[in-house]
Amino acid sequence: MDALTAEQLVDMLKLIPHPEGGFFNETARSKTTVTTDRNHTDSNIRSAGTTILFLLTPQAPNAKFCKNMSEIMHVWCGGGAQIHTFIRPDGTVTEHVLGPGVDQGQHPQVLCPPGAWKTSRLLEEDKYSLITEVVHPGWELCDFEMGRTDKLVKLFPQHRVLIEKYTHKEDVTF
């Protein structure tokens, strides 16, 4: 896969620009459903799981902070590594390198806990990185929130520099 360019992957995998940054395509949505305790919408029924392909490129090297109510398993697929940064609800920040270099401390998969704010960026800005995200229960727009600079700085003022670098200044919609 490394012989392919990022542009070829976008075309071959039918990826589209993601509001977070990078490119994506939902590739699977389970027909099995689960009942959740999420009563913030008309229905608390969710698909048991969804998957997307997500690509960061030298032209789109990072994803902005966002939050999902579901756990998200990130699985490295090809290209270079990504750095994933999570801000947990208590303000704790953790970073994980998702990539092929297990002998260099990289991980082939990383789990983002539910309710954590997450961002990702290329480890090497001249390489693309392709991952799969598995969301369980499945992804629904009503369970998702894009980070906005002023809101996150108010919640986590101790992380102002990080937040200002990886958030949108205004609301962004899907």
Side-chain angles (χ1 to χ4, degrees):
M1 181 182 326
D2 291 343
L4 297 173
T5 67
E7 293 77 18
Q8 289 171 314
L9 284 174
V10 167
D11 184 53
M12 294 169 74
L13 298 174
K14 299 177 178 34
L15 305 177
I16 60 173
H18 197 299
E20 290 175 38
F23 301 88
F24 83 109
N25 182 10
E26 184 176 290
T27 56
R29 179 172 289 271
S30 176
K31 292 183 183 359
T32 302
T33 59
V34 295
T35 302
T36 71
D37 59 357
R38 300 178 187 168
N39 297 317
H40 59 278
T41 64
D42 292 339
S43 170
N44 56 356
I45 305 295
R46 298 286 182 276
S47 168
T50 55
T51 61
I52 67 167
L53 290 170
F54 182 75
L55 178 72
L56 291 177
T57 69
Q59 294 73 33
N62 63 64
K64 304 297 186 187
F65 272 110
C66 65
K67 177 175 74 169
N68 197 302
M69 294 180 73
S70 296
E71 289 183 321
I72 303 174
M73 177 63 71
H74 300 86
V75 182
W76 179 83
C77 294
Q82 294 184 15
I83 301 170
H84 287 244
T85 304
F86 306 141
I87 302 176
R88 296 174 185 268
D90 68 0
T92 305
V93 173
T94 57
E95 282 197 341
H96 311 272
V97 180
L98 181 65
V102 176
D103 59 333
Q104 301 164 18
Q106 297 176 11
H107 305 277
Q109 59 188 30
V110 172
L111 181 67
C112 178
W117 291 93
K118 69 177 186 97
T119 184
S120 58
R121 64 190 180 279
L122 292 174
L123 179 65
E124 300 172 79
E125 292 187 10
D126 62 336
K127 295 184 177 180
Y128 68 77
S129 180
L130 179 67
I131 68 169
T132 292
E133 293 186 8
V134 182
V135 182
H136 46 91
W139 190 92
E140 294 293 339
L141 182 58
C142 59
D143 294 336
F144 173 85
E145 183 178 355
M146 269 315 264
R148 199 176 73 204
T149 306
D150 60 340
K151 179 180 178 181
L152 286 181
V153 167
K154 191 173 187 177
L155 289 172
F156 309 109
Q158 70 275 31
H159 303 305
R160 174 183 290 277
V161 173
L162 176 66
I163 290 166
E164 288 178 344
K165 189 170 184 177
Y166 298 110
T167 51
H168 293 287
K169 307 291 184 240
E170 299 175 1
D171 286 331
V172 174
T173 57
F174 251 87

